[in-house]
Amino acid sequence: MAALGLSFLPVMGRWSILLCCLATALSLILITSSSTGLRSSDLPYLLLVAMPYWLLGLLACWQRRRQRSSLPVFIAVLIVSFVGIILFGVDSYHFHTVPAHRLVQRFSVITIPLLQSASVLAIAAVLLTMQLCRDGRRSKAAPPGRR
C-alpha cells in the first residue's frame, strides 16, 4: 500500500472518530444556540441530533482495521457531517432572523438526524455486503481445511 501512496489509510479510522466527535459538538452547539433555554424535555431531541454521528463513529471503529473500507467510511463521515452542520446552520440562522420561522414547529431538528441516520445505515449495509462478498470469495478460493 505504501508504494501506491496510500500509507495514510490506517489512520483514517482515528480521523473519522475525531471528526464524528467534532461534528456532534458543532451540531449540538448550533441546535442549542437557536433555543431560548434548555429543559429536561429537550434531552431526547439532543440525543437524536447526536445519534447519526455516534452511528458513524461506531461504523468507523468497526472498519478502522480494514484498509479498503476506512477511506469510504471517512468520506461518508465528511459528507454526512458537512451536510448536517450546513443544514443545522441554515436552520438556526433562519430561526434567529426570520420572525415567521419562529412561529412554526421546527422539524429540521427531527428530520435532519433521521435522514443522516438512514444514510449511515445504508452505508453500513453496503459495507457489510461488500465484506461478506469478499469473505465468500476468499473461502471459496481457499483449499479445503484452510481458511
Side-chain angles (χ1 to χ4, degrees), residues 17-74:
I17 295 168
L18 181 67
L19 188 60
C20 288
C21 293
L22 180 66
T24 302
L26 285 174
S27 294
L28 290 175
I29 288 170
L30 285 171
I31 290 298
T32 56
S33 69
S34 62
S35 67
T36 56
L38 291 177
R39 297 178 298 273
S40 61
S41 61
D42 293 334
L43 185 62
Y45 297 108
L46 296 177
L47 291 175
L48 183 67
V49 168
M51 183 179 59
Y53 304 114
W54 291 344
L55 289 174
L56 278 170
L58 287 173
L59 184 63
C61 285
W62 177 50
Q63 295 292 325
R64 127 181 108 186
R65 300 277 184 227
R66 294 177 174 85
Q67 292 184 354
R68 267 193 180 156
S69 302
S70 62
L71 186 61
V73 169
F74 181 71

